[in-house]
Amino acid sequence: MQIQKPRGTYDIIPSEINKRKYVEDTAKKVFSNFNFSEIRTPTFENTQLFKRGIGEETDIVSKEMYSFSDGEFTLKPEMTASVIRAYLENSLYNEAPLQKLFYISNMFRAERPQKGRFREFSQFGAEAIGSGDYTIDVEIIALADAILKALGVTEFTIKLNTLGTIEERKVYLDELRKYFKQHEPVLSETSKVRLEKNPLRILDTKNPEEIKLLENAPVLYDFLNDATKTHFQNVLSSLDALNIKYEVDYKLVRGLDYYSHTTFEFISTALGAQSAILGGGRYDLLVEMLGGKPAPAIGFAAGIERILILLEEKAKEKHFTFPEEPRLNLYIVNAGLKDNTKIQKLLLSLRAAGIKCESDFLSRSVKSQMKEANKLNAEYTIVIGESEIETGKGKLKRMSDGKEISAELGRIYDDIMLFEEISNKQNAD
Ligand code: HAM
């Protein structure tokens, strides 16, 4: 029996790789334009990092972590804790007061797989560490918005909320608990557990009865002090000024415990149940919680698979096309040459000069090699047999129009260039 891939994982086969490269390359370009620098961290970290960083009561830590059998290490379910660990371990705070970092990496969560939800998935994301200023909140949201737009993802809604500080939340959570306690019989088993451990998460419920209950529940925003509200209002008015559209959603809570102040999600209804393309927010206490000197920070991460689902949908409707991988420049047809190293020598020198070229490794006939060259969409072909080796000359054929020129084997590269030059000139005339 053939062995299959683990549930919730996927292969990216060569014919699909252009799509992923497009997303990664576009994101990288925009990150670079925003002056964010790339950081890479290990695939697994000390389990304690995530327990302390993300929070013991979160779904991720309590149910979804892939930990090795001795429990010491865990495949990373997200990057933020890992980036902060690296920031501290490498004393990046000494290099600049504000670190603007980005990453593209695979994550692991033992969730129930469904459309847009995998057990191994990839994110691109950014973390800005060192500033509590509202302007960096705006920079991060504008960055996320710019990447999605550069990718051609346009149908999304930005939902924003502020979670205030721990102290502000504490008073609110007491009120929220009191409220839900009065309505405990209506609560699901999950919510009853959350009521004790993490009542904020009940705001995220999908249960219709609980959603109704939320209509009259106390609202966190009413418990926030003026400084917190001003920070949030400054973010909102800056986004207005930048013409970045958003919706304030006071019920938006995130699945990780480290957040404070500004939080956000970019949502697309086209994704079905897993509607979040991207999520993030401020996490002013995390650096300190992981043993560093206090440093406020904010970041986001986007799900690459979810972005691809949206783009593939658009491509199907012909509203978008993924860039293709670079074409094969030249296919060298071996017309019965005994000494194949003559062709391989040619291939090696052309490849070293930057030409993407290929030949036959299956001892096929000239006819089936020509077929192969067509299938590979080669721009040029050249047939080389004993007589071409003897004379040092062959016929370089342009596949798009069948035009041929005599080419010297020692300078095929120049001949291809010559071909291009003549065509360009003819086109210009
Ligand atoms: P998150 O909301 O857990 O946040 O994940 C961010 C994004 O990753 C989601 O919006 C979604 O697009 C994608 N994602 C999450 N889980 C899965 C999954 N199982 N399959 C496919 N895609 C998934 C974080 O990870 C935070 N570290 C974001 C952050 C950075 N906050 C501050 N800085």
Side-chain angles (χ1 to χ4, degrees):
M1 211 178 70
Q2 258 177 288
I3 295 170
Q4 311 226 308
K5 63 182 181 293
R7 222 160 86 80
T9 66
Y10 54 83
D11 303 307
I12 310 169
I13 56 173
S15 57
E16 300 278 312
I17 199 72
N18 63 319
K19 300 179 182 175
R20 192 155 281 256
K21 269 166 71 179
Y22 164 70
V23 174
E24 292 178 357
D25 294 348
T26 307
K28 272 188 191 165
K29 183 87 191 65
V30 182
F31 279 132
S32 168
N33 290 348
F34 274 70
N35 196 30
F36 277 69
S37 307
E38 185 168 2
I39 185 161
R40 298 188 191 191
T41 63
T43 302
F44 59 95
E45 294 272 5
N46 231 295
T47 303
Q48 276 308 318
L49 176 70
F50 302 121
K51 285 195 174 168
R52 261 208 266 165
I54 302 172
E56 301 248 12
E57 301 305 335
T58 58
D59 282 354
I60 296 180
V61 171
S62 64
K63 301 196 280 211
E64 297 166 1
M65 292 217 292
Y66 280 110
S67 299
F68 297 111
S69 53
D70 62 1
E72 192 180 355
F73 299 112
T74 295
L75 296 178
K76 61 186 170 195
E78 62 111 43
M79 271 297 274
T80 311
S82 192
V83 168
I84 296 303
R85 198 252 330 121
Y87 163 86
L88 292 173
E89 201 162 336
N90 296 283
S91 314
L92 295 185
Y93 42 83
N94 281 338
E95 288 177 20
L98 175 64
Q99 284 288 327
K100 292 167 80 179
L101 306 170
F102 85 84
Y103 47 82
I104 300 179
S105 188
N106 290 16
M107 308 295 150
F108 306 85
R109 295 184 193 177
E111 295 189 80
R112 204 161 41 79
Q114 61 179 83
K115 185 184 170 196
R117 192 161 73 190
F118 298 90
R119 291 182 165 174
E120 179 174 4
F121 60 99
S122 28
Q123 295 182 335
F124 62 76
E127 313 294 346
I129 312 156
S131 171
D133 210 293
Y134 75 87
T135 53
I136 194 76
D137 301 27
V138 179
E139 170 92 336
I140 283 285
I141 295 166
L143 167 63
D145 183 67
I147 297 178
L148 291 183
K149 286 185 177 147
L151 283 167
V153 178
T154 42
E155 290 78 27
F156 59 85
T157 308
I158 303 179
K159 297 213 163 173
L160 282 176
N161 193 14
T162 174
L163 294 180
T165 61
I166 281 202
E167 294 76 30
E168 289 163 336
R169 266 200 315 269
K170 201 169 169 306
V171 183
Y172 168 68
L173 289 181
D174 287 344
E175 287 302 309
L176 194 65
R177 258 196 207 99
K178 259 190 234 157
Y179 176 78
F180 284 133
K181 276 260 188 254
Q182 287 165 10
H183 302 276
E184 207 165 346
V186 182
L187 295 182
S188 66
E189 285 314 306
T190 322
S191 292
K192 279 181 191 156
V193 176
R194 284 180 171 163
L195 183 57
E196 294 312 317
K197 297 186 165 164
N198 200 352
L200 210 56
R201 293 290 298 163
I202 302 179
L203 301 186
D204 212 14
T205 180
K206 305 278 179 292
N207 175 323
E209 287 208 39
E210 291 181 351
I211 290 177
K212 230 164 133 204
L213 203 59
L214 291 181
E215 280 169 21
N216 295 316
V219 174
L220 173 59
Y221 195 77
D222 300 332
F223 291 75
L224 304 179
N225 66 31
D226 286 348
T228 297
K229 285 181 176 169
T230 305
H231 181 103
F232 191 55
Q233 292 307 326
N234 281 336
V235 173
L236 300 188
S237 50
S238 301
L239 293 176
D240 289 336
L242 298 176
N243 206 17
I244 297 175
K245 304 266 176 297
Y246 58 82
E247 282 174 16
V248 173
D249 178 356
Y250 290 125
K251 294 201 174 79
L252 175 76
V253 285
R254 304 264 306 125
L256 304 98
D257 281 353
Y258 48 60
Y259 291 111
S260 53
H261 292 286
T262 316
T263 47
F264 53 87
E265 274 182 2
F266 289 32
I267 304 288
S268 170
T269 45
L271 280 170
Q274 302 307 312
S275 60
I277 314 174
L278 174 163
R282 224 173 224 296
Y283 50 94
D284 289 347
L285 298 180
L286 183 60
V287 177
E288 201 178 347
M289 271 162 53
L290 295 178
K293 264 202 254 150
I298 181 165
F300 79 85
I304 294 184
E305 293 75 15
R306 295 187 188 176
I307 289 173
L308 283 171
I309 291 173
L310 293 175
L311 290 178
E312 277 168 354
E313 206 57 49
K314 278 185 114 172
K316 242 192 257 160
E317 290 161 11
K318 307 262 180 281
H319 297 315
F320 175 80
T321 36
F322 287 99
E324 292 296 330
E325 287 290 280
R327 265 177 90 174
L328 186 70
N329 301 120
L330 175 69
Y331 190 95
I332 302 183
V333 177
N334 182 341
L337 253 191
K338 295 239 161 37
D339 181 4
N340 196 55
T341 58
K342 299 237 162 62
I343 285 186
Q344 281 186 310
K345 220 181 200 173
L346 209 53
L347 286 172
L348 289 179
S349 67
L350 286 165
R351 287 164 179 167
I355 298 274
K356 180 171 172 177
C357 52
E358 177 65 296
S359 186
D360 175 60
F361 298 95
L362 293 165
S363 306
R364 283 177 283 198
S365 68
V366 168
K367 197 171 156 204
S368 62
Q369 287 183 59
M370 282 309 281
K371 243 193 190 164
E372 177 70 4
N374 264 317
K375 197 173 149 205
L376 292 173
N377 197 19
E379 282 177 276
Y380 295 91
T381 53
I382 188 164
V383 179
I384 299 185
E386 300 295 352
S387 69
E388 280 78 13
I389 294 294
E390 234 165 70
T391 57
K393 282 194 174 146
K395 286 211 171 85
L396 186 65
K397 179 174 174 182
R398 185 164 60 190
M399 300 301 274
S400 57
D401 54 8
K403 261 192 197 153
E404 288 185 336
I405 60 167
S406 172
E408 276 181 47
L409 298 193
R411 33 167 293 166
I412 295 182
Y413 177 83
D414 303 276
D415 288 327
I416 289 178
M417 293 302 145
L418 194 66
F419 228 134
E420 300 289 317
E421 218 172 87
I422 296 168
S423 315
N424 290 343
K425 198 158 171 288
Q426 279 171 349
N427 287 342
D429 288 345

